[in-house]
Amino acid sequence: MLNNRILKYLLVLGGLLLNGLTVYLYAYRGYTAATFYLWLASIIAVGLFFFIKRNKTSAQFRFTINDLYAIGLLLVIFMPIYLALIYYLPYQINTDEPTIMFFAKEFTNRPQPDLFGLTNYFNYPALIFIVFGKIANLIGGINLFPFRIVHAFSALIIIIFSYLFFRLAAEQIINARSAMSYVYALGGAILVGSNHALIAVSRMAMRDNSALLIEIIALMFLFLGLMRKNLFIIFL
């Protein structure tokens, strides 16, 4: 028991020290690969602390094969809406799409892009430009069609995680059982996916969905962690 307690304190202390060292190195020496790995190690160390400390007695909740059917149905409904004729619709007339692709290309093509840095595009964080740019490069390069595809798929992932979040909420908050929890979750996800603003923005070569994507995934883990009283899932 004592050794386990000491290990937990060492993990927290080590994570904090590594994080402090990361901030110091980044502030005085700029971004390097070592800076990123130190930051990653600090996250892993603190994550291990919460993993050891987690409550192993969790609430009984399991995703089932019906959830896969529901997700498949959502994809059948929304993939045509978000992907059909995406190169032609909407017609490219605004300056935001070329500007975002320009900054994505600028950061992605650097030998060692600063993952913690800011762009000159209203000082937005560079990381999402790098992530979207790297994915676009894998499917054809940073131009209109691949970048629109990447952004549209981010919306489809938002819809899927919205369904998972609503499934958790339906069983735990509304206390819906059996088929009704699937109906509530499907209805909520369809409502999210049918949002006209999400459809319009997602069909353009933008990066706006990134915040909503991170938020819905974080909410799902937060709700699941609170439901199971599991600090590790909350940490995630």
Side-chain angles (χ1 to χ4, degrees):
M1 180 65 69
L2 181 61
N3 291 335
N4 192 31
R5 182 178 298 179
I6 292 174
L7 176 61
K8 288 190 289 188
Y9 285 128
L10 286 176
L11 285 170
V12 172
L13 181 60
L16 292 174
L17 289 175
L18 286 171
N19 196 265
L21 181 59
T22 301
V23 172
Y24 173 81
L25 291 175
Y26 186 72
Y28 290 97
R29 297 188 180 183
Y31 180 83
T32 63
T35 307
F36 171 76
Y37 289 122
L38 283 172
W39 170 79
L40 188 62
S42 71
I43 299 296
I44 293 173
V46 177
L48 286 173
F49 163 78
F50 285 111
F51 181 77
I52 295 172
K53 196 175 174 61
R54 75 192 188 283
N55 187 349
K56 296 180 181 179
T57 58
S58 60
Q60 293 300 313
F61 179 85
R62 294 290 183 272
F63 292 110
T64 67
I65 189 66
N66 292 328
D67 292 305
L68 295 179
Y69 294 148
I71 291 171
L73 177 61
L74 289 170
L75 291 175
V76 168
I77 294 171
F78 287 109
M79 283 185 72
I81 296 173
Y82 282 84
L83 296 174
L85 302 175
I86 195 170
Y87 181 76
Y88 302 101
L89 297 174
Y91 186 74
Q92 202 282 305
I93 56 174
N94 68 67
T95 59
D96 287 335
E97 288 181 288
T99 302
I100 287 173
M101 287 188 289
F102 169 80
F103 283 106
K105 188 177 294 185
E106 178 189 3
F107 274 83
T108 303
N109 292 338
R110 291 181 181 179
Q112 187 171 275
D114 184 354
L115 301 180
F116 304 141
L118 301 175
T119 67
N120 292 324
Y121 185 67
F122 301 107
N123 286 330
Y124 284 120
L127 180 60
I128 192 59
F129 291 86
I130 297 169
V131 171
F132 275 30
K134 292 286 187 183
I135 298 173
N137 272 335
L138 293 175
I139 59 174
I142 302 176
N143 51 62
L144 190 64
F145 181 65
F147 217 88
R148 282 186 172 184
I149 289 290
V150 172
H151 200 223
F153 266 99
S154 71
L156 294 173
I157 297 172
I158 288 170
I159 295 170
I160 291 171
F161 274 96
S162 296
Y163 167 81
L164 297 176
F165 173 72
F166 290 133
R167 262 279 283 142
L168 288 170
E171 289 215 354
Q172 300 302 315
I173 297 179
I174 306 174
N175 200 29
R177 297 299 178 188
S178 188
M180 286 310 298
S181 65
Y182 300 102
V183 173
Y184 285 133
L186 268 174
I190 289 173
L191 188 64
V192 171
S194 302
N195 183 281
H196 69 283
L198 182 64
I199 295 171
V201 171
S202 300
R203 290 180 61 90
M204 293 190 287
M206 307 286 279
R207 52 92 189 95
D208 300 59
N209 285 349
S210 57
L212 180 57
L213 177 60
I214 294 170
E215 182 180 17
I216 191 64
I217 294 174
L219 279 173
M220 193 199 73
F221 278 116
L222 175 62
F223 190 85
L224 183 62
L226 290 173
M227 185 184 75
R228 296 187 172 185
K229 299 179 181 178
N230 189 312
L231 290 175
F232 178 67
I233 298 177
I234 294 174
F235 171 77
L236 292 176

